[in-house]
mmCIF file of all heavy atoms in Angstrom:
data_model
loop_
_atom_site.group_PDB
_atom_site.id
_atom_site.type_symbol
_atom_site.label_atom_id
_atom_site.label_comp_id
_atom_site.label_asym_id
_atom_site.label_seq_id
_atom_site.Cartn_x
_atom_site.Cartn_y
_atom_site.Cartn_z
ATOM 1 N N ASN A 472 -1.885 10.253 -19.960
ATOM 2 C CA ASN A 472 -2.964 9.418 -19.429
ATOM 3 C C ASN A 472 -2.936 7.986 -19.958
ATOM 4 O O ASN A 472 -3.971 7.367 -20.177
ATOM 5 C CB ASN A 472 -4.320 10.081 -19.709
ATOM 6 C CG ASN A 472 -5.436 9.535 -18.865
ATOM 7 O OD1 ASN A 472 -5.238 9.143 -17.716
ATOM 8 N ND2 ASN A 472 -6.616 9.481 -19.436
ATOM 9 N N VAL A 473 -1.753 7.430 -20.150
ATOM 10 C CA VAL A 473 -1.584 6.044 -20.610
ATOM 11 C C VAL A 473 -1.344 5.149 -19.393
ATOM 12 O O VAL A 473 -0.664 5.554 -18.451
ATOM 13 C CB VAL A 473 -0.395 5.938 -21.596
ATOM 14 C CG1 VAL A 473 0.005 4.493 -21.856
ATOM 15 C CG2 VAL A 473 -0.734 6.640 -22.907
ATOM 16 N N ALA A 474 -1.883 3.941 -19.440
ATOM 17 C CA ALA A 474 -1.599 2.943 -18.402
ATOM 18 C C ALA A 474 -0.757 1.838 -19.023
ATOM 19 O O ALA A 474 -1.150 1.250 -20.036
ATOM 20 C CB ALA A 474 -2.896 2.364 -17.847
ATOM 21 N N VAL A 475 0.411 1.570 -18.435
ATOM 22 C CA VAL A 475 1.291 0.489 -18.881
ATOM 23 C C VAL A 475 1.357 -0.516 -17.737
ATOM 24 O O VAL A 475 1.926 -0.228 -16.681
ATOM 25 C CB VAL A 475 2.699 0.992 -19.257
ATOM 26 C CG1 VAL A 475 3.538 -0.159 -19.803
ATOM 27 C CG2 VAL A 475 2.625 2.141 -20.266
ATOM 28 N N ASN A 476 0.765 -1.679 -17.952
ATOM 29 C CA ASN A 476 0.592 -2.649 -16.875
ATOM 30 C C ASN A 476 1.769 -3.614 -16.726
ATOM 31 O O ASN A 476 2.660 -3.680 -17.566
ATOM 32 C CB ASN A 476 -0.722 -3.390 -17.068
ATOM 33 C CG ASN A 476 -1.897 -2.483 -16.766
ATOM 34 O OD1 ASN A 476 -2.120 -2.116 -15.627
ATOM 35 N ND2 ASN A 476 -2.625 -2.086 -17.802
ATOM 36 N N THR A 477 1.717 -4.384 -15.660
ATOM 37 C CA THR A 477 2.802 -5.220 -15.167
ATOM 38 C C THR A 477 3.515 -6.030 -16.248
ATOM 39 O O THR A 477 2.890 -6.683 -17.077
ATOM 40 C CB THR A 477 2.253 -6.179 -14.097
ATOM 41 O OG1 THR A 477 1.611 -5.399 -13.098
ATOM 42 C CG2 THR A 477 3.356 -6.995 -13.455
ATOM 43 N N ALA A 478 4.841 -5.967 -16.204
ATOM 44 C CA ALA A 478 5.753 -6.787 -17.011
ATOM 45 C C ALA A 478 5.657 -6.546 -18.515
ATOM 46 O O ALA A 478 6.045 -7.391 -19.305
ATOM 47 C CB ALA A 478 5.575 -8.276 -16.695
ATOM 48 N N SER A 479 5.166 -5.382 -18.913
ATOM 49 C CA SER A 479 5.155 -5.054 -20.345
ATOM 50 C C SER A 479 6.509 -4.497 -20.756
ATOM 51 O O SER A 479 7.228 -3.906 -19.946
ATOM 52 C CB SER A 479 4.057 -4.037 -20.654
ATOM 53 O OG SER A 479 2.800 -4.663 -20.576
ATOM 54 N N ILE A 480 6.842 -4.685 -22.040
ATOM 55 C CA ILE A 480 8.103 -4.199 -22.591
ATOM 56 C C ILE A 480 7.783 -3.284 -23.758
ATOM 57 O O ILE A 480 7.120 -3.701 -24.711
ATOM 58 C CB ILE A 480 8.994 -5.364 -23.069
ATOM 59 C CG1 ILE A 480 9.317 -6.299 -21.901
ATOM 60 C CG2 ILE A 480 10.265 -4.825 -23.724
ATOM 61 C CD1 ILE A 480 9.988 -7.592 -22.333
ATOM 62 N N LEU A 481 8.249 -2.054 -23.686
ATOM 63 C CA LEU A 481 8.075 -1.092 -24.764
ATOM 64 C C LEU A 481 9.461 -0.793 -25.316
ATOM 65 O O LEU A 481 10.284 -0.175 -24.642
ATOM 66 C CB LEU A 481 7.396 0.181 -24.248
ATOM 67 C CG LEU A 481 5.883 0.091 -24.013
ATOM 68 C CD1 LEU A 481 5.498 -0.953 -22.997
ATOM 69 C CD2 LEU A 481 5.328 1.433 -23.646
ATOM 70 N N GLY A 482 9.719 -1.289 -26.506
ATOM 71 C CA GLY A 482 11.044 -1.198 -27.104
ATOM 72 C C GLY A 482 11.450 0.222 -27.467
ATOM 73 O O GLY A 482 10.677 1.171 -27.327
ATOM 74 N N HIS A 483 12.664 0.334 -27.988
ATOM 75 C CA HIS A 483 13.202 1.641 -28.377
ATOM 76 C C HIS A 483 12.314 2.287 -29.434
ATOM 77 O O HIS A 483 11.726 1.619 -30.280
ATOM 78 C CB HIS A 483 14.637 1.491 -28.915
ATOM 79 C CG HIS A 483 14.696 0.708 -30.192
ATOM 80 N ND1 HIS A 483 14.514 1.287 -31.423
ATOM 81 C CD2 HIS A 483 14.877 -0.615 -30.417
ATOM 82 C CE1 HIS A 483 14.607 0.361 -32.373
ATOM 83 N NE2 HIS A 483 14.819 -0.803 -31.777
ATOM 84 N N ASP A 484 12.176 3.587 -29.354
ATOM 85 C CA ASP A 484 11.441 4.394 -30.332
ATOM 86 C C ASP A 484 9.951 4.075 -30.428
ATOM 87 O O ASP A 484 9.292 4.474 -31.383
ATOM 88 C CB ASP A 484 12.086 4.281 -31.724
ATOM 89 C CG ASP A 484 13.532 4.722 -31.713
ATOM 90 O OD1 ASP A 484 13.784 5.863 -31.285
ATOM 91 O OD2 ASP A 484 14.411 3.924 -32.093
ATOM 92 N N VAL A 485 9.405 3.358 -29.465
ATOM 93 C CA VAL A 485 7.969 3.088 -29.432
ATOM 94 C C VAL A 485 7.235 4.388 -29.124
ATOM 95 O O VAL A 485 7.708 5.205 -28.337
ATOM 96 C CB VAL A 485 7.641 2.015 -28.368
ATOM 97 C CG1 VAL A 485 6.178 2.015 -27.985
ATOM 98 C CG2 VAL A 485 8.066 0.642 -28.851
ATOM 99 N N VAL A 486 6.071 4.574 -29.741
ATOM 100 C CA VAL A 486 5.200 5.704 -29.430
ATOM 101 C C VAL A 486 3.847 5.137 -29.030
ATOM 102 O O VAL A 486 3.238 4.371 -29.782
ATOM 103 C CB VAL A 486 5.035 6.649 -30.644
ATOM 104 C CG1 VAL A 486 4.015 7.743 -30.339
ATOM 105 C CG2 VAL A 486 6.366 7.250 -31.051
ATOM 106 N N VAL A 487 3.394 5.498 -27.842
ATOM 107 C CA VAL A 487 2.058 5.130 -27.381
ATOM 108 C C VAL A 487 1.332 6.447 -27.134
ATOM 109 O O VAL A 487 1.702 7.215 -26.246
ATOM 110 C CB VAL A 487 2.090 4.271 -26.099
ATOM 111 C CG1 VAL A 487 0.674 3.925 -25.656
ATOM 112 C CG2 VAL A 487 2.914 3.003 -26.312
ATOM 113 N N GLU A 488 0.321 6.716 -27.961
ATOM 114 C CA GLU A 488 -0.386 7.987 -27.870
ATOM 115 C C GLU A 488 -1.354 8.011 -26.692
ATOM 116 O O GLU A 488 -1.629 6.990 -26.072
ATOM 117 C CB GLU A 488 -1.108 8.274 -29.187
ATOM 118 C CG GLU A 488 -0.137 8.472 -30.340
ATOM 119 C CD GLU A 488 -0.816 8.749 -31.671
ATOM 120 O OE1 GLU A 488 -2.062 8.798 -31.739
ATOM 121 O OE2 GLU A 488 -0.082 8.904 -32.666
ATOM 122 N N GLU A 489 -1.912 9.166 -26.419
ATOM 123 C CA GLU A 489 -2.676 9.392 -25.194
ATOM 124 C C GLU A 489 -3.901 8.495 -25.013
ATOM 125 O O GLU A 489 -4.485 8.024 -25.981
ATOM 126 C CB GLU A 489 -3.082 10.856 -25.077
ATOM 127 C CG GLU A 489 -4.026 11.349 -26.123
ATOM 128 C CD GLU A 489 -4.277 12.844 -25.980
ATOM 129 O OE1 GLU A 489 -3.322 13.600 -25.769
ATOM 130 O OE2 GLU A 489 -5.446 13.228 -26.084
ATOM 131 N N ASN A 490 -4.203 8.276 -23.736
ATOM 132 C CA ASN A 490 -5.379 7.527 -23.274
ATOM 133 C C ASN A 490 -5.373 6.049 -23.647
ATOM 134 O O ASN A 490 -6.427 5.406 -23.642
ATOM 135 C CB ASN A 490 -6.678 8.179 -23.771
ATOM 136 C CG ASN A 490 -6.833 9.603 -23.293
ATOM 137 O OD1 ASN A 490 -6.715 9.874 -22.111
ATOM 138 N ND2 ASN A 490 -7.068 10.510 -24.219
ATOM 139 N N CYS A 491 -4.229 5.478 -23.964
ATOM 140 C CA CYS A 491 -4.134 4.053 -24.294
ATOM 141 C C CYS A 491 -3.994 3.216 -23.034
ATOM 142 O O CYS A 491 -3.562 3.705 -21.992
ATOM 143 C CB CYS A 491 -2.919 3.777 -25.189
ATOM 144 S SG CYS A 491 -3.123 4.365 -26.866
ATOM 145 N N VAL A 492 -4.325 1.929 -23.182
ATOM 146 C CA VAL A 492 -4.086 0.960 -22.125
ATOM 147 C C VAL A 492 -3.242 -0.161 -22.714
ATOM 148 O O VAL A 492 -3.613 -0.776 -23.723
ATOM 149 C CB VAL A 492 -5.401 0.393 -21.552
ATOM 150 C CG1 VAL A 492 -5.118 -0.719 -20.551
ATOM 151 C CG2 VAL A 492 -6.219 1.507 -20.906
ATOM 152 N N VAL A 493 -2.083 -0.394 -22.097
ATOM 153 C CA VAL A 493 -1.192 -1.490 -22.459
ATOM 154 C C VAL A 493 -1.312 -2.504 -21.328
ATOM 155 O O VAL A 493 -0.849 -2.252 -20.221
ATOM 156 C CB VAL A 493 0.267 -1.005 -22.631
ATOM 157 C CG1 VAL A 493 1.191 -2.173 -22.949
ATOM 158 C CG2 VAL A 493 0.351 0.083 -23.693
ATOM 159 N N SER A 494 -1.962 -3.624 -21.591
ATOM 160 C CA SER A 494 -2.200 -4.627 -20.544
ATOM 161 C C SER A 494 -0.904 -5.311 -20.130
ATOM 162 O O SER A 494 0.152 -5.102 -20.733
ATOM 163 C CB SER A 494 -3.192 -5.673 -21.043
ATOM 164 O OG SER A 494 -4.440 -5.076 -21.284
ATOM 165 N N SER A 495 -1.011 -6.163 -19.129
ATOM 166 C CA SER A 495 0.154 -6.881 -18.614
ATOM 167 C C SER A 495 0.807 -7.756 -19.675
ATOM 168 O O SER A 495 0.137 -8.343 -20.510
ATOM 169 C CB SER A 495 -0.264 -7.770 -17.435
ATOM 170 O OG SER A 495 -0.753 -6.977 -16.400
ATOM 171 N N MET A 496 2.122 -7.838 -19.614
ATOM 172 C CA MET A 496 2.962 -8.713 -20.428
ATOM 173 C C MET A 496 2.860 -8.463 -21.934
ATOM 174 O O MET A 496 3.107 -9.351 -22.736
ATOM 175 C CB MET A 496 2.689 -10.180 -20.101
ATOM 176 C CG MET A 496 2.993 -10.495 -18.652
ATOM 177 S SD MET A 496 2.722 -12.215 -18.200
ATOM 178 C CE MET A 496 0.954 -12.321 -18.259
ATOM 179 N N VAL A 497 2.527 -7.249 -22.326
ATOM 180 C CA VAL A 497 2.533 -6.867 -23.739
ATOM 181 C C VAL A 497 3.967 -6.569 -24.133
ATOM 182 O O VAL A 497 4.735 -6.008 -23.353
ATOM 183 C CB VAL A 497 1.628 -5.635 -23.974
ATOM 184 C CG1 VAL A 497 1.842 -5.033 -25.350
ATOM 185 C CG2 VAL A 497 0.166 -6.008 -23.768
ATOM 186 N N ASN A 498 4.353 -6.935 -25.354
ATOM 187 C CA ASN A 498 5.694 -6.661 -25.859
ATOM 188 C C ASN A 498 5.569 -5.890 -27.163
ATOM 189 O O ASN A 498 5.044 -6.426 -28.154
ATOM 190 C CB ASN A 498 6.455 -7.970 -26.068
ATOM 191 C CG ASN A 498 7.930 -7.749 -26.326
ATOM 192 O OD1 ASN A 498 8.342 -6.682 -26.777
ATOM 193 N ND2 ASN A 498 8.721 -8.771 -26.065
ATOM 194 N N LEU A 499 6.026 -4.644 -27.163
ATOM 195 C CA LEU A 499 6.003 -3.799 -28.355
ATOM 196 C C LEU A 499 7.424 -3.688 -28.897
ATOM 197 O O LEU A 499 8.303 -3.140 -28.232
ATOM 198 C CB LEU A 499 5.466 -2.405 -28.018
ATOM 199 C CG LEU A 499 4.052 -2.331 -27.446
ATOM 200 C CD1 LEU A 499 3.689 -0.884 -27.115
ATOM 201 C CD2 LEU A 499 3.049 -2.930 -28.416
ATOM 202 N N GLY A 500 7.632 -4.212 -30.097
ATOM 203 C CA GLY A 500 8.949 -4.133 -30.723
ATOM 204 C C GLY A 500 9.328 -2.700 -31.042
ATOM 205 O O GLY A 500 8.470 -1.816 -31.140
ATOM 206 N N GLY A 501 10.617 -2.466 -31.227
ATOM 207 C CA GLY A 501 11.136 -1.133 -31.506
ATOM 208 C C GLY A 501 10.421 -0.449 -32.651
ATOM 209 O O GLY A 501 10.097 -1.053 -33.659
ATOM 210 N N GLY A 502 10.154 0.838 -32.477
ATOM 211 C CA GLY A 502 9.550 1.645 -33.520
ATOM 212 C C GLY A 502 8.052 1.436 -33.711
ATOM 213 O O GLY A 502 7.457 2.009 -34.618
ATOM 214 N N THR A 503 7.428 0.653 -32.847
ATOM 215 C CA THR A 503 5.986 0.447 -32.918
ATOM 216 C C THR A 503 5.274 1.747 -32.556
ATOM 217 O O THR A 503 5.738 2.506 -31.713
ATOM 218 C CB THR A 503 5.553 -0.660 -31.927
ATOM 219 O OG1 THR A 503 6.199 -1.867 -32.290
ATOM 220 C CG2 THR A 503 4.060 -0.863 -31.921
ATOM 221 N N ARG A 504 4.132 1.981 -33.176
ATOM 222 C CA ARG A 504 3.309 3.163 -32.862
ATOM 223 C C ARG A 504 1.898 2.688 -32.537
ATOM 224 O O ARG A 504 1.299 1.952 -33.311
ATOM 225 C CB ARG A 504 3.286 4.140 -34.022
ATOM 226 C CG ARG A 504 2.503 5.383 -33.725
ATOM 227 C CD ARG A 504 2.544 6.378 -34.901
ATOM 228 N NE ARG A 504 2.254 7.705 -34.404
ATOM 229 C CZ ARG A 504 3.153 8.587 -33.990
ATOM 230 N NH1 ARG A 504 4.432 8.292 -34.052
ATOM 231 N NH2 ARG A 504 2.775 9.765 -33.535
ATOM 232 N N VAL A 505 1.376 3.125 -31.390
ATOM 233 C CA VAL A 505 0.027 2.772 -30.957
ATOM 234 C C VAL A 505 -0.797 4.051 -30.930
ATOM 235 O O VAL A 505 -0.480 4.988 -30.182
ATOM 236 C CB VAL A 505 0.043 2.102 -29.566
ATOM 237 C CG1 VAL A 505 -1.373 1.733 -29.139
ATOM 238 C CG2 VAL A 505 0.944 0.873 -29.575
#
Side-chain angles (χ1 to χ4, degrees):
N472 197 33
V473 167
V475 184
N476 288 291
T477 305
S479 287
I480 300 170
L481 283 60
H483 65 86
D484 302 305
V485 162
V486 174
V487 180
E488 295 180 0
E489 65 185 44
N490 300 309
C491 287
V492 174
V493 178
S494 296
S495 298
M496 299 181 290
V497 168
N498 191 336
L499 300 178
T503 299
R504 182 178 202 91
V505 180

